[in-house]
Amino acid sequence: MNRKKGALLGALVADAAAMGLHWLYDQARIAEIAGGAPEFRTPNGADFLGPDGRSLGYFAHGGKRPGAPSHYGAQMLAMADSLARTDTYDAEDYARSFQEWFGYGGRWTGYIDRPTRATLDAMARTEAEAEGGPFDRCGADDAQLPAVSKLPPLVVRHHGEAGLAAMVESAVRVTNAREDAVDWGLATAAMIGAALDGATPARAAEAARGVSDKIDGQIDAALAMRAAPAEEVARAFALHCQLEVAFPVIVHLIATATGFADAARANIRAGGDSCGRAIPMGAVLGACFSGDEARAIPRDWLARVDVPGSLAALV
């Protein structure tokens, strides 16, 4: 498997593996019900309840089968569909693909997060006021993990091109129109790009430096906890969806990874927004460990997911 294919499949597989326990915030509960193999668990509302019936998280994926993508994975596929259709990044086409996936009657059936709803509402207003767009200026004032979910196909398609940074900024702004969201998008793209170039996981994590002082500080803080398990790191930064807390956890997962499966399991056991963290982590590690049978995406994990034609066409 080449590194580009590894990045795309790694993102898809890591997201699907985490979906069953996504947004379960109690690490002890995850350990209790899933043990050492928390991947590809069938979503079950009972898993999210404590002994007293109290909710331990947010159960968002009822009815989904193991191996299906979360809404984060669907965001990535919306980008892949646009790239397959146009053979290049086109902001307006990507914005329309996003609407085709998540709008009323769209391809996605399932949970819709807040930035997606805000973006769709802005697209609807734009359509009503000026037929035909421009839909690519409807991003939400938000810096949560959906901002970076679309990036693996974009980076794979345009890796090494001079205009990639501008494309990343544009793609982030389609859904998340905030400067810090753009910065985290550029940092995520840099890690994926370094992995495609042959970097080790530790060097790929370091490649995110230089975007902003804030992100450099997050990387320093994550690497200062290099010896700690992912569960402890996630507790230290927090488990929720904001990139403010999720990005350093992603950096730690990547920098300390010794294999794809172990890192994906550590991400799930850390709890909270595991699917949101899974896509950038999975893209980097899928690329880094491609060609290393012992540490690459497990074959039986690959067999659990359906690879859409648009994603396969990129490699």
Side-chain angles (χ1 to χ4, degrees):
M1 183 186 298
N2 65 40
R3 287 193 172 228
K4 288 187 173 182
K5 187 174 182 180
L8 295 175
L9 293 180
L12 186 71
V13 170
D15 171 65
M19 188 265 294
L21 295 172
H22 182 216
W23 281 328
L24 178 50
Y25 279 80
D26 191 299
Q27 294 175 346
R29 177 63 171 161
I30 294 171
E32 174 192 354
I33 62 178
E39 67 273 10
F40 297 107
R41 190 172 177 86
T42 301
N44 182 353
D47 288 347
F48 289 68
L49 300 177
D52 58 357
R54 179 175 56 89
S55 175
L56 303 175
Y58 181 73
F59 182 58
H61 304 301
K64 294 292 181 183
R65 62 172 179 80
S70 74
H71 57 295
Y72 290 108
Q75 294 222 16
M76 182 175 68
L77 297 179
M79 173 62 80
D81 281 359
S82 177
L83 292 169
R85 183 164 56 223
T86 62
D87 196 37
T88 188
Y89 174 70
D90 180 278
E92 188 71 15
D93 190 84
Y94 164 55
R96 290 188 178 277
S97 182
F98 180 86
Q99 189 184 47
E100 290 166 4
W101 267 86
F102 294 102
Y104 294 117
R107 296 180 62 183
W108 174 250
T109 301
Y111 177 79
I112 300 286
D113 56 44
R114 184 172 65 82
T116 297
R117 289 196 302 272
T119 300
L120 291 170
D121 289 345
M123 287 178 170
R125 289 193 298 271
T126 298
E127 195 167 35
E129 294 166 3
E131 185 175 351
F135 284 165
D136 62 333
R137 300 173 193 160
C138 296
D141 179 14
D142 186 274
Q144 295 184 70
L145 279 157
V148 302
S149 298
K150 79 284 301 277
L151 294 180
L154 177 62
V155 176
V156 164
R157 171 62 185 84
H158 290 289
H159 177 58
E161 296 182 17
L164 177 58
M167 296 178 204
V168 168
E169 176 172 358
S170 169
V172 171
R173 288 188 183 280
V174 167
T175 58
N176 297 74
R178 268 179 47 168
E179 295 298 327
D180 54 355
V182 170
D183 286 348
W184 280 305
L186 292 169
T188 298
M191 292 192 294
I192 298 171
L196 295 177
D197 282 335
T200 63
R203 290 194 176 276
E206 292 281 0
R209 292 188 184 277
V211 175
S212 71
D213 290 343
K214 180 176 184 176
I215 288 176
D216 287 354
Q218 289 184 311
I219 295 169
D220 289 340
L223 297 184
M225 298 187 70
R226 189 189 297 269
E231 295 95 325
E232 181 180 336
V233 174
R235 290 195 303 271
F237 289 104
L239 282 62
H240 58 73
C241 314
Q242 295 288 341
L243 280 155
E244 180 80 33
V245 301
F247 187 78
V249 181
I250 293 167
V251 168
H252 180 274
L253 286 162
I254 291 170
T256 61
T258 57
F260 183 92
D262 286 346
R265 286 169 174 152
N267 174 51
I268 299 168
R269 290 195 298 267
D273 197 1
S274 51
C275 284
R277 299 187 303 262
I279 287 184
M281 180 207 73
V284 172
L285 297 182
C288 286
F289 293 126
S290 63
D292 184 340
E293 185 73 20
R295 300 194 294 168
I297 308 165
R299 290 179 181 272
D300 59 330
W301 288 28
L302 283 168
R304 300 290 299 268
V305 302
D306 295 326
V307 181
S310 60
L311 205 65
L314 292 174
V315 290

